[in-house]
Amino acid sequence: MSRTVLFDLDGTLLNLDIEEFLRHYMRLVGAYFSHVAPPEKFTRAIWASTNAMIANLDPSLTNHEAFAAHFEPLVGRPWEEMWPGFMDFYVKEFPRLRGLSKEDGVAFRVLSQCSRSGWNLILATNPIFPEIAIRERLRWCDAHEIPWKFITHIDNMHFCKPHLQYYEEIVRVCGLDPSRCVMVGNDVQEDMVAKSLGMKTYLVEGLVIDRGGGPEPDLRGPLAQVPEAIEKLLPL
Ligand SMILES: [Mg+2]
């Protein structure tokens, strides 16, 4: 019976401080859209709408739709007019953030080894970005050519972390048996919560985010030990 390992991206595969990354991202995006609104107003709207999207639990809205519905009135421009600008931004400006991730080749080695051992791979990154931005970040850790079975992004998901509905949607869409899955991540509340669905959990140490009161991971250790650890957690 097949086994699946789900990987978080930021702070897990990608050696990136998410706070620093978001700060630089907001600076770039604000400057890029300065013809639409003053950068401070524009980035404040992005924060607010991102939080609204994360909080949204209406299953009839994709994350993209939830974001757009909240963002449009804040900025006062039709979303259809702004979206192509975001796509341009991700092609032209977003790759400049690459320098913020300090890569050492471990992610590629770990993913290749899991794949060779027959594990299905799912990228379970918080789906608040469009696919193009996620694929660009995968490139930064040489993980863009890994045979991903599924990648969660803003257009194919209706929920975000830390909500359990996010993991339930992955399970449903991919037809998974949670008891045959391991979730690997660096965030105790956002990633280890998959445990309550019956998945095994592995906390990647190094850039751990823990707001307190989260579930105890089944195992913890460096990213490099994931291939060994998941065999221990879910033996064939
Ligand atoms: Mg993370």
Side-chain angles (χ1 to χ4, degrees):
M1 194 173 172
S2 72
R3 299 177 296 173
T4 301
V5 55
L6 300 89
F7 282 95
D8 169 56
L9 180 57
D10 301 305
T12 297
L13 293 173
L14 205 53
N15 189 359
L16 177 118
D17 179 326
I18 190 70
E19 298 284 331
E20 185 190 21
F21 169 74
L22 289 174
R23 228 177 16 251
H24 286 268
Y25 168 78
M26 287 297 178
R27 191 176 43 76
L28 271 191
V29 89
Y32 194 73
F33 285 93
S34 58
H35 61 288
V36 174
E40 204 194 308
K41 181 185 174 189
F42 197 82
T43 54
R44 218 178 319 123
I46 291 185
W47 276 121
S49 301
T50 300
N51 287 331
M53 165 175 65
I54 290 170
N56 177 65
L57 292 175
D58 178 351
S60 72
L61 295 177
T62 64
N63 290 341
H64 186 154
E65 289 164 344
F67 180 91
H70 191 270
F71 190 71
E72 212 175 44
L74 290 184
V75 177
R77 296 277 282 271
W79 178 247
E80 302 74 58
E81 212 178 87
M82 285 183 284
W83 180 237
F86 275 95
M87 289 294 97
D88 279 350
F89 168 81
Y90 285 116
V91 170
K92 294 176 190 152
E93 296 290 313
F94 192 71
R96 291 172 56 197
L97 296 172
R98 181 175 191 149
L100 296 173
S101 79
K102 295 145 194 80
E103 295 315 313
D104 50 14
V106 174
F108 180 76
R109 281 203 303 279
V110 163
L111 292 167
S112 305
Q113 197 176 332
C114 294
S115 180
R116 273 198 309 275
S117 305
W119 289 79
N120 291 317
L121 303 176
I122 289 179
L123 187 72
T125 179
N126 210 4
I128 61 175
F129 283 100
E131 185 173 9
I132 184 173
I134 295 168
R135 291 202 180 268
E136 173 61 25
R137 292 212 303 300
L138 281 175
R139 204 166 284 127
W140 300 351
C141 58
D142 285 325
H144 55 299
E145 283 173 353
I146 293 294
W148 296 103
K149 181 187 164 118
F150 189 61
I151 293 175
T152 65
H153 56 76
I154 200 168
D155 285 295
N156 66 2
M157 297 300 286
H158 300 75
F159 307 101
C160 294
K161 300 177 187 179
H163 300 295
L164 210 48
Q165 287 93 328
Y166 166 75
Y167 292 97
E168 286 168 344
E169 186 167 19
I170 297 176
V171 164
R172 194 172 58 248
V173 170
C174 297
L176 304 175
D177 171 357
S179 71
R180 303 292 292 165
C181 297
V182 184
M183 176 65 202
V184 176
N186 70 314
D187 191 308
V188 175
Q189 284 71 34
E190 291 192 350
D191 300 322
M192 302 298 103
V193 67
K195 191 175 180 176
S196 50
L197 270 191
M199 293 186 186
K200 299 288 185 206
T201 50
Y202 182 89
L203 184 68
V204 171
E205 290 176 334
L207 293 169
V208 170
I209 299 174
D210 186 356
R211 303 159 196 84
E216 189 58 33
D218 293 304
L219 279 178
R220 61 170 76 208
L223 178 63
Q225 275 171 26
V226 164
E228 203 182 306
I230 59 178
E231 291 297 335
K232 222 179 279 172
L233 287 169
L234 271 189
L236 260 181

